[in-house]
Structures are given as structure tokens and as C-alpha cells.
Amino acid sequence: MKNGKIILSTIVLAILVPIIINLSISFISWGSGSNDGWLGFWGGYLGALISVLGIYFQVSKSIEESEKNRNATKESTEKNIKLLNEQADRDKAKIKSQQKELAEQKRKDKVQALQSVRTFIRVNFCKTNLKICFEGANSIINPNKNKKRPKSISYNGSS
């Protein structure tokens, strides 16, 4: 719409300006020019007008294409940023999961290390203190054997 108004006004001016110049030359006695002079004037005038219009349309088209390219680049960049943010969120979640797994594995390794150290201490303790070790083992195997039982009171019916 804007370009149509510009084209229409340019055409109207292109027609009116030479007519106004021709009438002003006729009424104001600057002398009447020769046909060759007027032909040169019209050629130069219309040539310049056509050149200016061509340049205007070419620049307008170039600006529109530049704007489209800029918008496409902006949309592409925003899409890439969104994808990168989504990937970063997935990576963060994966890292948290791996950190939890690593912490759990470290905990298991500590427990296993403590159990092996406990076994090592028991074995070495038993080697040096066999009697205590066997008594402890017997109390584990037969827990009722080492307990003192209360004396039972028998009642035989007579007083």
C-alpha cells in the first residue's frame, strides 16, 4: 500500500513538473528553447527520474530481504538457544543421577571396606587369643549353654 502511494505520487510529479516548467517558460519570457534543447531536457529529466525510481525499488527490495533474513536468523538463533537449554537441563539431570549413583557406590565401598577390616581384625584377634575366640564362637553357636539356669525348686508334696 505504501509503495503504491509512492509510485502514484512519483508518476503525478513526473507528469506535472515538466508541464509546469513548460508553462513557466512560455509565460515568462526566458526565451523559447529549440526543439533540440527541449528534447535534451526531457531526456535528462525522464532518465534521472527512471534511475531514481529504479534505485528506490532496488533499495526497498534489498531492505525487505535483509529484514526477512534477520528475522529468520533471529528465529533460528532462538530455536537453537531453546534446544541448548533443553540439552543443558537433560545434562544437569543426568549429572545429578550420576552423582547419586557415585555417592551410593562410595557408601557401598565404605561399608565393604569396613566389613573386610572387621573380618581382618576378628581373624587376627582369634589367632592371638584362641581361647577367647572359641568361647565367643561357642556362645554364638550355643547361646543357652553358657547361661546360668536358676535352680529349680522341687516340691514333693510333704512339708
Side-chain angles (χ1 to χ4, degrees):
M1 192 73 170
K2 185 178 178 181
N3 287 338
K5 289 181 181 179
I6 292 174
I7 292 172
L8 182 63
S9 61
T10 304
I11 291 173
V12 169
L13 283 176
I15 293 172
L16 289 179
V17 169
I19 291 173
I20 293 172
I21 291 174
N22 189 21
L23 290 175
S24 68
I25 290 174
S26 299
F27 291 115
I28 301 173
S29 64
W30 289 339
S32 63
S34 66
N35 288 340
D36 289 341
W38 279 109
L39 185 61
F41 166 76
W42 280 105
Y45 179 78
L46 293 176
L49 185 64
I50 292 170
S51 297
V52 168
L53 287 175
I55 291 170
Y56 171 78
F57 288 118
Q58 187 61 36
V59 169
S60 296
K61 185 177 178 181
S62 176
I63 289 172
E64 286 176 14
E65 287 179 11
S66 176
E67 185 71 24
K68 286 180 185 177
N69 288 339
R70 186 175 58 171
N71 288 340
T73 303
K74 182 180 177 183
E75 289 174 5
S76 174
T77 302
E78 288 173 352
K79 182 180 176 182
N80 288 339
I81 288 172
K82 182 180 177 183
L83 291 173
L84 287 173
N85 285 336
E86 289 172 358
Q87 181 65 39
D89 291 341
R90 285 192 300 271
D91 289 348
K92 285 179 187 176
K94 186 177 179 181
I95 288 171
K96 280 187 177 183
S97 172
Q98 289 174 346
Q99 286 174 339
K100 286 180 182 178
E101 290 174 8
L102 184 61
E104 181 63 23
Q105 185 61 39
K106 282 183 178 180
R107 188 191 67 74
K108 287 179 181 178
D109 290 347
K110 284 181 182 179
V111 168
Q112 186 179 8
L114 288 173
Q115 287 174 346
S116 64
V117 167
R118 189 181 305 154
T119 304
F120 175 75
I121 291 172
R122 279 188 198 147
V123 168
N124 285 335
F125 181 77
C126 285
K127 284 180 182 177
T128 57
N129 302 307
L130 286 174
K131 182 179 177 185
I132 297 171
C133 185
F134 284 123
E135 287 175 2
N138 284 333
S139 68
I140 292 172
I141 295 171
N142 297 319
N144 295 330
K145 185 178 181 183
N146 293 333
K147 287 185 181 178
K148 291 185 178 180
R149 293 186 183 146
K151 292 183 182 181
S152 60
I153 301 172
S154 62
Y155 182 71
N156 53 6
S158 58
S159 351

